[in-house]
Amino acid sequence: MEAARHPRRRAKRMERPQAAAVRDWSLAEVGSAPLDKRVWGRPLMVDVVHNVVKWQLAKRRAGTASVKKYWELRRTKRKPHAQKGTGRARQGDYRGPHMRGGITMFGPRPKDWSYPLPRKMRRLGVQVALSERRREGRLLVVDSLDPPEAKTRAANDFLARVGGSKMLLIDGVLPEGAKGTGRACEHCAKGAKDADPSEAALGIHEQLERDGDVFYDASTGRWAGELPEPSPGLLMATRNVPYMSVLPPQGVNVYDVVMNDTIVVSTDALRYMQVRLTRPIKRRPSTLYGGKLGSAEEPVVDGSAEEPVVDGSAEAPVVDGSAEEPVVDEDKEAADSLSREEVEALGVVALRGELRKQGLKVSGAKAALVARLLGEPEP
């Protein structure tokens, strides 16, 4: 008999979700949308969701709670009673912590409650939360979330048709020039009869790659163009409905997904979310000196300066072939071509790597640099 798995035990592999049905505002099916397993097929990870929610709530704290210190309390400084002769305990003033209206010991002071969380864990938390909502059957994909009229009545009717107590609407209009249809997948396109022959059907990974070229600027690591925003009609219709929240696709977070039992996504927002949650995380560019040793700019020679006149009558010095040529220390020249700022920015590790690339002696150049910095005679 197979033992029952613990409810908190993680699954080892991601699921391969089926294409989601796309519906219109009246919930009539009009097509299908492919779902990436990296976003919608993650196994449940309670610890990851818990850590991300704690991080979000910590960042939301204002941290403005403050009690008055002894020197901040505005109260009389006179002595409550005489030092001796009353039979009572000696007291200095009314501002002590044991006095009514006095200071509070070890009370809260303004502080920053936020703490760093790895970006991979933040992204994984969103993926896990969305995957769990899809697994529970609480994901609805709509072709457009622009209501027929910007009235509260239209939003209430939509909420009644979909069902649920709290709903999260994710809407955003894609920028101009977005590629791909956003609905056709490779398996659905094979049996499609009314497919456009001029436009080749793309799989989910090829489609995300093409969409990423439009949304994502790989050179700068930032999103190209304007970020998608929800339609004004949807914002007008839902602003008086207390249990309907509206977010742009770039604002999807774990807390809002967990706190709402139904997730409604437009097709444009779905494509944008899948690109954003699957593109590689752009690391910050390194500030380490990346040039080559000896690449300092040479001084500019002013052409207006007159060259010295060479007297042809002067005899040229006779070169004795038996004289030895001076030995050029390449390590010393490489060390002299660097300024103090470049040496400090370069670091010992990067310096050793650059010297090895150029075939120079590491020990000699390092000794020359240390001697230059300390003002000692070079070895």
Side-chain angles (χ1 to χ4, degrees):
M1 181 176 180
E2 185 179 356
R5 193 181 69 175
H6 193 274
R8 286 194 176 184
R9 185 178 179 183
R10 294 185 182 179
K12 294 183 179 180
R13 296 182 179 180
M14 292 186 293
E15 302 177 10
R16 188 177 295 275
Q18 299 178 355
V22 178
R23 304 180 183 275
D24 57 7
W25 187 262
S26 60
L27 300 187
E29 187 172 349
V30 295
S32 62
L35 301 179
D36 194 332
K37 67 177 183 179
R38 294 171 292 179
V39 181
W40 306 98
R42 294 282 185 179
L44 179 60
M45 305 178 188
V46 181
D47 55 341
V48 174
V49 177
H50 174 69
N51 290 334
V52 178
V53 170
K54 282 181 57 181
W55 170 76
Q56 281 189 247
L57 296 180
K59 286 180 66 66
R60 291 186 180 185
R61 297 188 64 170
T64 55
S66 177
V67 297
K68 292 184 180 296
K69 292 292 186 180
Y70 190 85
W71 58 87
E72 297 173 342
L73 193 63
R74 296 296 180 182
R75 203 172 183 190
T76 178
K77 299 180 182 180
R78 70 179 181 86
K79 196 172 178 63
H81 51 78
Q83 180 80 359
K84 297 180 179 294
T86 62
R88 301 178 61 185
R90 53 192 176 189
Q91 303 292 338
D93 56 15
Y94 287 98
R95 291 182 293 179
H98 60 289
M99 289 288 189
R100 183 177 180 179
I103 63 173
T104 301
M105 294 300 296
F106 308 109
R109 296 291 291 176
K111 63 175 293 186
D112 183 14
W113 289 93
S114 64
Y115 56 90
L117 192 70
R119 286 180 288 177
K120 286 186 177 181
M121 179 171 287
R122 287 184 255 166
R123 174 182 288 187
L124 182 60
V126 177
Q127 294 171 350
V128 170
L130 293 175
S131 301
E132 188 63 19
R133 284 288 177 258
R134 180 204 61 82
R135 197 176 296 110
E136 296 172 351
R138 298 180 180 180
L139 172 67
L140 177 64
V141 181
V142 184
D143 59 348
S144 177
L145 281 176
D146 194 7
E149 56 178 355
K151 298 290 185 180
T152 307
R153 178 176 61 252
N156 286 326
D157 294 343
F158 184 76
L159 179 61
R161 286 195 299 269
V162 175
S165 58
K166 298 184 70 175
M167 180 181 296
L168 175 62
L169 305 172
I170 306 174
D171 184 31
V173 181
L174 290 178
E176 296 294 335
K179 303 176 183 180
T181 59
R183 294 182 184 175
C185 63
E186 184 177 359
H187 302 285
C188 300
K190 292 181 180 179
K193 298 180 180 179
D194 301 332
D196 187 3
S198 61
E199 182 177 357
L202 299 175
I204 179 63
H205 295 289
E206 292 82 359
Q207 188 181 49
L208 291 179
E209 189 67 27
R210 292 183 59 182
D211 289 345
D213 296 337
V214 178
F215 308 145
Y216 185 82
D217 188 0
S219 61
T220 60
R222 298 184 178 276
W223 297 96
E226 297 180 358
L227 294 175
E229 294 295 336
S231 61
L234 180 63
L235 295 176
M236 290 284 291
T238 58
R239 64 180 181 177
N240 289 332
V241 183
Y243 298 110
M244 295 184 73
S245 306
V246 181
L247 283 179
Q250 68 272 13
V252 178
N253 57 87
V254 179
Y255 182 78
D256 288 327
V257 174
V258 171
M259 294 301 295
N260 293 274
D261 55 6
T262 305
I263 309 298
V264 182
V265 189
S266 65
T267 53
D268 287 352
L270 176 64
R271 291 170 57 193
Y272 193 91
M273 286 170 53
Q274 293 189 138
V275 172
R276 189 180 185 91
L277 294 175
T278 55
R279 298 290 288 190
I281 297 177
K282 183 68 176 179
R283 302 297 180 186
R284 293 182 177 88
S286 177
T287 57
L288 188 63
Y289 174 73
K292 295 182 179 179
L293 292 178
S295 60
E297 299 182 358
E298 298 180 356
V300 180
V301 179
D302 188 6
S304 60
E306 297 182 358
E307 298 180 357
V309 179
V310 180
D311 188 3
S313 60
E315 296 182 358
V318 178
V319 179
D320 187 2
S322 61
E324 297 181 357
E325 297 181 357
V327 180
V328 179
D329 189 357
E330 297 180 356
D331 297 345
K332 184 177 179 181
E333 289 184 355
D336 292 339
S337 62
L338 289 176
S339 62
R340 184 186 183 91
E341 291 77 9
E342 291 175 340
V343 172
E344 294 176 354
L346 204 60
V348 177
V349 177
L351 176 63
R352 292 173 67 91
E354 291 292 336
L355 291 175
R356 286 173 180 172
K357 289 180 182 179
Q358 299 188 12
L360 301 180
K361 295 180 180 178
V362 179
S363 59
K366 183 178 179 181
L369 288 174
V370 172
R372 282 190 58 200
L373 293 176
L374 298 179
E376 299 175 356
E378 298 181 1

